[in-house]
Amino acid sequence: MFRRHTEARRPALTIRIDGVATEAREGDSIAAAMLAAGHLIARKTPVSGAPRAPYCLMGVCFECLVTVDGVGNRQGCMVLVRDGMRIETQQGKREYGA
Amino acid sequence: MNASADLRERYDVAVVGAGPAGLAAAGLCARAGLATVLLDEQAAPGGQVYRSVTASPLGTNTVLGPDYWRGAALAREALASDLHYVPGANVWGLLREGEIAVSLGSRSRLLQATRIILATGAMERPFPIPGWTLPGVMSAGGAQILLKSSGLIPQGRTVLAGCGPLLWLLAWQYLNADVRLDAVLDTAPRANWRNALRHAASFALSPYLIKGLRLILAVRREAQVIGNVAELEAQGSESVEAVVYRTSRGEERRLPVDMLILHQGVVPNANLALSAGVTHCWSDAQLCFLPVLDAFGSSNVPGLSIAGDGAGIAGAEAAEARGRLAAVAAIRAIKPQLVLAAEEKAARASLRRFERGRAFLDVLFRPPPRFRLPRGETLVCRCEEVSASEVLDAVALDCPGPNQMKAFLRCGMGPCQGRLCGLTVTEMMAQARGVSPQEIGYYRLRPPVKPVTLAELAGLPTTEAAVKAVARE
């Protein structure tokens, strides 16, 4: 999928994606950090449950919507990672009480 | 340059977007002594073309090319002036004359500006082929942003498909980064070359001629380029597994892929301008709606102008020139004693130089109807998962336009607010009804043009008039 160019060195930090500690780099957007970590699928759609991944990376397509530190439907490509950030992928439409 | 915390309530000029147009406009306004705020939704200046140019992990290496790095000087120069640069600022609406609603760090506030310059740039044209929603299918602009801002390059089997300068630029940058490209599938019809020839004389004088030719030849030397691709389909279940293509000569092939990167040109990122009531007209040359502007970029909305690719696709250097022209008009409106004749003359000369031959590029990279007018089960609206056949069925039921279609199908009503389906729906309806896209029109857009939470809206400062409007005696 994606790897980092050998010249792209920036300090590492740790985020949690669906509870799993994952390495990211300073300056990464959440979407970039997920792709670099091999986490291709960002969400499943509320309409049919189809898997989706970041598409435009510039805040236009809304495919990379994730839950960030408990706040749902944040654009993963528009939010930079912070050490300790908790990211949850969104699985289809939200159910009552979920 | 100031910190974002001490945002004022009122400015002479507010510029939205810190790409080439916004940087040039804001820098010139600030140097003329106007209280200027530059609002940008990214964390670092540059827009998309110079994305992360002051913060890229690729340093100054040769992967991205010299045209990218020239953006660094532009950003430095603009931000060295006495302007208020606010990164991470999400402008979600122009509410009434001169009032800007902006979300900053999960809090919204309202600013006033005498003049507003929108420099919201371009976004990629939708590329609705079967399977374009599969994970592993990405736009070239998106892939290039990953390269610029995080130094990410694809691994595994990678195919680029489509047409337009950005596709060739990305291919060239990937080859510089030693990325192996399995194929470049060129969807520009051969007839485009013939049609473009009548604009060749002006393009011969374009600064883009030599650069463009070098780029395309370099890619052709190192990668397998397949021309005349007339059909494309991405296949896979959980993610993309193969791309199937057919050429206009009828050759069909299936290439196994891990990444399929699509691109067929860029169009104005117009949601904010449209929501503010800026008149737009269909451009047959650029196959999109363009704002109706005067020679300084001023629109029909008082005090509101548009600079850069949002005013029509012309590239980074032209965007910079248009930014300066919009700034000249704003400065003259506020400080009539400043004439700025030399600045205007220089900006117009630069604009002429970089607009030269644009018609050639528009024709050469004009995406063919097959890739703009999807059929059958191909998804048009990615958010609400509305297919081409459903759109055409609604037209057959006499649904008159894109806004009425929302009631039939929810098409265009998902989180992207029509950005990824608007032009497709307009063109499909126009073709099905045998009228021009101008007659069909576009989605009616309203603020907020980006999602904001109810808490943010509720937290906005309330005026006495607003309280009276809802309070009972």
Side-chain angles (χ1 to χ4, degrees):
Chain A
M1 194 178 5
F2 283 96
R3 63 187 166 91
R4 283 183 205 273
H5 191 274
T6 47
E7 287 184 32
R9 292 188 209 99
R10 275 197 297 213
L13 46 81
T14 304
I15 56 174
R16 299 190 86 81
I17 302 173
D18 291 332
V20 180
T22 306
E23 189 195 283
R25 302 286 178 89
E26 259 176 36
D28 280 348
S29 67
I30 292 170
M34 289 175 77
L35 290 169
H39 210 299
L40 178 61
I41 296 170
R43 67 179 181 119
K44 295 203 167 155
T45 66
V47 178
S48 72
R52 292 287 171 87
Y55 182 77
C56 78
L57 281 305
M58 57 171 277
V60 171
C61 76
F62 290 73
E63 293 293 10
C64 62
L65 294 177
V66 286
T67 299
V68 181
D69 290 333
V71 181
N73 287 324
R74 304 276 328 260
Q75 287 182 282
C77 69
M78 300 297 288
V79 181
L80 298 189
V81 290
R82 269 183 300 96
D83 197 41
M85 193 178 244
R86 286 177 299 116
I87 292 140
E88 281 137 59
T89 56
Q90 301 184 164
Q91 305 294 322
K93 63 173 180 282
R94 199 146 31 159
E95 300 297 337
Y96 175 72
Chain B
M1 195 182 111
N2 303 288
S4 56
D6 42 31
L7 208 55
R8 285 194 234 162
E9 279 179 20
R10 179 170 283 282
Y11 290 89
D12 292 325
V13 180
V15 179
V16 183
L23 287 167
L28 187 51
C29 288
R31 280 194 296 280
L34 302 190
T36 306
V37 65
L38 174 57
L39 303 162
D40 188 53
E41 63 180 344
Q42 298 299 337
Q48 303 308 333
V49 65
Y50 303 133
R51 178 75 183 251
S52 305
V53 74
T54 60
S56 176
L58 289 181
T60 51
N61 76 10
T62 51
V63 170
L64 297 169
D67 283 347
Y68 171 71
W69 292 109
R70 67 177 291 285
L74 177 67
R76 264 197 307 275
E77 189 193 325
L79 300 191
S81 62
D82 184 27
L83 62 83
H84 198 151
Y85 164 60
V86 190
N90 196 348
V91 174
W92 54 261
L94 305 176
L95 302 186
R96 50 181 85 86
E97 213 172 294
E99 191 172 65
I100 301 158
V102 56
S103 172
L104 193 59
S106 303
R107 211 191 122 212
S108 279
R109 53 175 104 199
L110 303 176
L111 311 177
Q112 286 285 332
T114 308
R115 303 279 301 201
I116 298 172
I117 299 173
L118 296 185
T120 53
M123 58 178 207
E124 286 174 277
R125 177 189 298 286
F127 204 147
I129 57 164
W132 71 310
T133 52
L134 282 170
V137 181
M138 183 179 279
S139 75
Q144 197 195 36
I145 286 165
L146 290 173
L147 176 67
K148 289 171 177 171
S149 52
S150 282
L152 295 188
I153 46 180
Q155 57 183 353
R157 297 157 299 182
T158 305
V159 169
L160 271 58
C163 62
L166 179 59
L167 194 78
W168 294 101
L169 176 61
L170 180 66
W172 180 76
Q173 290 170 331
Y174 275 165
L175 294 170
N176 291 341
D178 293 324
V179 173
R180 190 178 168 275
L181 298 177
D182 287 68
V184 177
L185 306 178
D186 183 359
T187 59
R190 187 146 294 169
N192 282 9
W193 282 96
R194 275 198 307 277
N195 297 336
L197 274 181
R198 66 197 157 94
H199 304 287
S202 64
F203 189 66
L205 299 169
S206 165
Y208 294 121
L209 171 69
I210 299 295
K211 281 184 198 172
L213 279 177
R214 272 206 198 117
L215 214 66
I216 291 177
L217 289 175
V219 173
R220 285 185 174 276
R221 259 199 312 275
E222 290 190 52
Q224 183 194 11
V225 177
I226 294 153
N228 284 304
V229 169
E231 304 260 355
L232 273 174
E233 179 176 348
Q235 295 181 342
S237 50
E238 283 292 288
S239 64
V240 67
E241 288 155 24
V243 55
V244 178
Y245 69 87
R246 199 170 56 75
T247 68
S248 53
R249 280 185 237 96
E251 297 157 44
E252 195 173 304
R253 254 183 93 192
R254 184 175 190 275
L255 299 173
V257 293
D258 298 297
M259 285 292 307
L260 172 63
I261 296 173
L262 298 176
H263 178 77
Q264 56 174 351
V266 296
V267 295
N269 190 355
N271 278 35
L272 189 58
L274 286 165
S275 78
V278 172
T279 305
H280 282 65
C281 271
W282 179 259
S283 161
D284 189 57
Q286 298 204 331
L287 295 167
C288 58
F289 288 97
L290 299 180
V292 180
L293 305 168
D294 73 7
F296 291 93
S298 301
S299 74
N300 58 304
V301 178
L304 184 68
S305 54
I306 301 180
D309 272 1
I313 304 306
E317 293 88 349
E320 216 179 303
R322 284 176 178 161
R324 296 215 160 88
L325 289 171
V328 164
I331 296 163
R332 283 179 187 163
I334 294 166
K335 287 192 170 181
Q337 70 274 22
L338 293 179
V339 181
L340 303 171
E343 278 85 351
E344 184 187 342
K345 198 172 164 214
R348 290 213 185 280
S350 174
L351 185 58
R352 263 198 309 278
R353 175 157 179 260
F354 285 99
E355 277 188 329
R356 199 175 283 146
R358 176 55 49 178
F360 178 86
L361 293 176
D362 287 343
V363 175
L364 184 64
F365 294 122
R366 185 181 176 87
R370 183 67 192 91
F371 296 119
R372 311 194 319 266
L373 299 161
R375 300 173 205 157
E377 294 311 301
T378 304
L379 287 187
V380 172
C381 171
R382 298 172 61 108
C383 297
E384 296 293 334
E385 299 182 48
V386 179
S387 70
S389 61
E390 287 175 294
V391 168
L392 293 177
D393 286 349
V395 178
L397 292 172
D398 283 339
C399 173
N403 294 298
Q404 293 76 12
M405 183 157 341
K406 292 175 182 175
F408 286 65
L409 299 170
R410 287 196 51 80
C411 191
M413 292 178 77
C416 95
Q417 295 172 294
R419 289 169 173 91
L420 272 279
C421 68
L423 289 174
T424 311
V425 166
T426 293
E427 281 211 84
M428 284 180 74
M429 293 190 98
Q431 202 218 20
R433 294 189 32 209
V435 298
S436 74
Q438 175 69 27
E439 196 170 316
I440 296 292
Y442 195 73
Y443 291 133
R444 198 173 300 121
L445 292 161
R446 296 186 186 86
V449 296
K450 281 279 186 134
V452 282
T453 64
L454 282 171
E456 273 196 62
L457 290 177
L460 281 172
T462 42
T463 61
E464 202 181 331
V467 173
K468 274 190 181 150
V470 293
R472 289 189 185 183
E473 290 302 319

